[in-house]
Amino acid sequence: GAAAFFNVAFRTAEPFQAVSADPSTITDAAWWRDRLQGNALAAGDISELFAIVDFAKLRRGERDDSAVPKTGAFNRIHASRFERKQGADFTASCLGAPANCPGQYMGQLQPYAIYVPDRPRPAEGWGLTLLLHSLSANYNQYSGTANQSQFGERGPGSIVVTPEGRGPDGFYENYGAADTFEVWADVARRYRLDPDWTVAAGYSMGGIGSFKLAAQFPDLFARIQPTVGSEGDTAVLASLRNVPVHMWNNHGDELVNNASFTETANALADLGYRYQLDAFQPCLNAGCSPITPNHLQLAINDQYAPMAEFLGTHEVDRNPARVTYVLFGARNHPELGVVGDHAYWVSGLKLREGADRGTIDARSHAFGVGDPAATATSGSGTLEGGRLGNLLFTSQGMTWGEAPATERADRLDVEATGLTAARIDMKRAGLTCDAEVRVNSTDGPLTVTLGGCQGKTVSSS
C-alpha cells in the first residue's frame, strides 16, 4: 500500500558519468545524474538518500551558500522567457525538421552544465566556450571529461557551458538556439566575460550545431571546432570567411560518414577559407574492441589538448576588411529573438520576395589590405595521450598568408544575390559618408543604406 513514486530531489553526491571513463555510457547512459537514486528506488530502500536540514537557520532567514560549487564542473538552472507548457513531451521527434521543432522540454526552468576554472578571473574577463551536446545526450555529456576541462583550462581560463537546447535532438535550431543564447546571457549575468574571446565546439550534433551557429552569427565567434560533425547545407559556409575551422572526424563513421564531412571540408577549400580536417582511422588497440563504435571513438579517447591549442586565446575580428554573409531565412525565428540578418559591419539584410536565402559580399578599401593568399595543406599525424592509445589521422586544410597591402581608398565594393536591402556601418568599415559605393553585381533592385550618414542610401538595379 506504499506510494509508488518518490522524488529524492537534488543530490550533490550523484556522480557525473563520463563517457571517457565509464564504458557503460555506450549502452546505459545516465546523463541526468540520477543513477544512485534509480538504484535505491529499484531496491525499494531510499533510507541512505537524505539531507540534514537546519530548521533554526531557516527560521532565522540565514543564507548559507557554502556548499554551492563555485569552480569545476556543476549544473545551473536558468529561468527562460519561454514556457510553452509545463513538463516534457516526447511524442514528437525533432529529427528531420529541427528548424520547426520547439523541443521536448517545454517549461520555464531549463538546466545547463558549466565549468569554471579554479583560478583568478582574467583581467579582461573569462573566455566563453560553447561546448554543444550530441544527439540523444544532454548538458551533462562533457562533465568530468578532459574535453571540458582542457578547453576550460586553456590560456588564462575559459568558462565552458553546455546548454540543454530544449531536448536531445533539436540541432540548435528554433527553441534550441534560443536556449543557447539564454544560457549565454545567464552566464554573462553571473560572470564577467570577455565577449571577444568566444568560440564554439561540440560533438556530433554539437559539432553540427557549431557550424550552424557560427554560420548564422559569425561575428560572435573567433573559431569553431566541430568533432564528428559536418554542415549539410554547404552554401552557408560562405559566412565563415573570418572564422577558422578545425574539424575532427572518423573514417568509417557510421553516422557522419566520409562523404558528409569531406563535402564540408571541400566546400571550405573551394571558398579558400582557413580550415583543417583531421580524419582518424578506426582504432586498432585492444581497448577499442568490441565496444567502441567509430562515431564515438574520439569521445571515449578523450584527448583534446591539440584542439584546446587551436582554440587558444584567439579573439573575434569585429571589423574585417571583407564581409561575406549568407542570410538563410528558414533558420530565423523573430518570435524567439533568434534572427541572423547581420554580420560585422553589415546589417539590415532583407530577402527578395520568393528567395529563401541571400548573399552579400562587401569589401572596404579603407583598410588597405587585400585577400590573403590561400595555401592548401595535407599530411598525417598521431594523436597521443588519450584513453585508447595512439590514434592515426590524415589531414587536409587551407592556411592563409599575410594579407597583402593595397592602396587605401574611401570605397566600398558590394556584390549581392537574393537581397533587396543592406546597411553598412560606415564608421566600422572605416569609410566616410562621401565614400564611393559600387554595387558591382546584383540580381535585382538593391538599396544600400550608409549607416551614420543621416539616411543616405545608394540604389542599384
Side-chain angles (χ1 to χ4, degrees):
F5 178 82
F6 294 88
N7 181 357
V8 290
F10 299 101
R11 287 179 32 78
T12 57
E14 287 284 348
F16 289 111
Q17 187 184 27
V19 67
S20 58
D22 185 355
S24 69
T25 54
I26 297 175
T27 57
D28 188 21
W31 304 119
W32 292 107
R33 298 181 67 200
D34 59 1
R35 175 157 290 172
L36 298 182
Q37 298 176 40
N39 291 341
L41 289 167
D45 181 3
I46 61 171
S47 61
E48 294 299 317
L49 309 182
F50 65 88
I52 297 175
V53 178
D54 189 332
F55 286 93
K57 275 189 175 182
L58 287 175
R59 283 192 295 270
R60 293 193 299 269
E62 292 186 18
R63 183 183 182 93
D64 184 355
D65 292 337
S66 59
V68 176
K70 296 177 176 60
T71 61
F74 54 99
N75 295 156
R76 296 200 65 92
I77 297 174
H78 74 91
S80 172
R81 291 182 297 151
F82 310 108
E83 183 178 47
R84 296 178 56 244
K85 60 179 72 171
Q86 294 186 10
D89 182 0
F90 285 96
T91 59
S93 168
C94 292
L95 289 174
N100 300 313
C101 182
Q104 292 83 5
Y105 301 116
M106 300 172 294
Q108 182 188 27
L109 301 181
Q110 295 292 321
Y112 64 92
I114 184 169
Y115 179 91
V116 180
D118 186 11
R119 63 177 73 180
R121 186 194 71 199
E124 299 299 319
W126 298 106
L128 182 70
T129 302
L130 293 181
L131 187 55
L132 307 175
H133 74 72
S134 303
L135 179 69
S136 301
N138 71 13
Y139 59 97
N140 277 319
Q141 175 180 353
Y142 306 104
S143 298
T145 65
N147 193 172
Q148 182 188 65
S149 61
Q150 287 173 336
F151 283 1
E153 297 296 337
R154 73 184 196 277
S158 173
I159 287 178
V160 181
V161 292
T162 302
E164 174 55 29
R166 289 276 176 169
D169 59 0
F171 286 84
Y172 306 96
E173 302 268 12
N174 202 331
Y175 280 84
D179 182 65
T180 301
F181 285 109
E182 287 193 314
V183 167
W184 190 336
D186 191 65
V187 173
R189 281 191 292 268
R190 301 176 185 280
Y191 303 88
R192 181 179 176 183
L193 300 178
D194 178 355
D196 291 331
W197 184 24
T198 303
V199 299
Y203 202 94
S204 190
M205 183 183 82
I208 295 171
S210 68
F211 274 119
K212 184 264 176 187
L213 291 177
Q216 192 173 11
F217 305 99
D219 54 3
L220 296 182
F221 302 100
R223 296 187 166 204
I224 64 170
Q225 195 279 299
T227 299
V228 295
S230 63
E231 174 53 74
D233 188 344
T234 56
V236 302
L237 294 173
S239 295
L240 301 182
R241 174 176 296 279
N242 300 296
V243 184
V245 181
H246 197 146
M247 303 167 61
W248 267 6
N249 290 87
N250 287 316
H251 286 293
D253 190 319
E254 60 275 12
L255 296 180
V256 181
N257 58 39
N258 289 42
S260 175
F261 65 74
T262 301
E263 181 182 20
T264 300
N266 289 343
L268 290 168
D270 291 341
L271 289 163
Y273 288 179
R274 291 165 292 178
Y275 85 97
Q276 183 166 325
L277 163 65
D278 296 335
F280 288 83
Q281 301 296 335
C283 179
L284 301 177
N285 298 313
C288 301
S289 178
I291 63 166
T292 308
N294 289 341
H295 187 66
L296 295 181
Q297 79 166 2
L298 291 171
I300 297 170
N301 188 59
D302 199 27
Q303 170 57 279
Y304 288 85
M307 292 299 92
E309 183 178 358
F310 164 75
L311 295 174
T313 58
H314 298 279
E315 296 185 343
V316 179
D317 183 0
R318 297 289 182 192
N319 298 311
R322 185 177 178 184
V323 174
T324 305
Y325 185 72
V326 180
L327 170 58
F328 188 10
R331 284 182 168 175
N332 286 334
H333 291 274
E335 74 282 8
L336 303 178
V338 180
V339 178
D341 61 359
H342 56 278
Y344 309 99
W345 37 263
V346 175
S347 63
L349 300 176
K350 294 183 179 179
L351 288 173
R352 196 175 310 287
E353 185 176 356
D356 66 343
R357 69 186 67 199
T359 301
I360 188 168
D361 186 25
R363 181 195 296 276
S364 169
H365 292 267
F367 294 93
V369 294
D371 290 336
T375 302
T377 64
S378 62
S380 61
T382 304
L383 177 62
E384 301 176 347
R387 183 172 177 269
L388 300 180
N390 294 343
L391 297 180
L392 306 179
F393 63 87
T394 57
S395 67
Q396 67 177 72
M398 189 78 67
T399 61
W400 280 1
E402 290 292 325
T406 61
E407 183 179 354
R408 293 180 182 270
D410 195 19
R411 190 176 94 224
L412 177 73
D413 285 327
V414 175
E415 297 182 1
T417 58
L419 299 173
T420 62
R423 182 184 186 277
I424 306 298
D425 187 320
M426 300 297 279
K427 182 177 181 180
R428 289 183 59 186
L431 301 167
T432 73
C433 292
D434 296 322
E436 179 186 5
V437 179
R438 299 179 180 177
V439 180
N440 297 321
S441 67
T442 177
D443 59 353
L446 175 70
T447 299
V448 180
T449 299
L450 310 187
C453 299
Q454 298 181 331
K456 186 176 181 180
T457 63
V458 173
S459 297
S460 177
S461 59

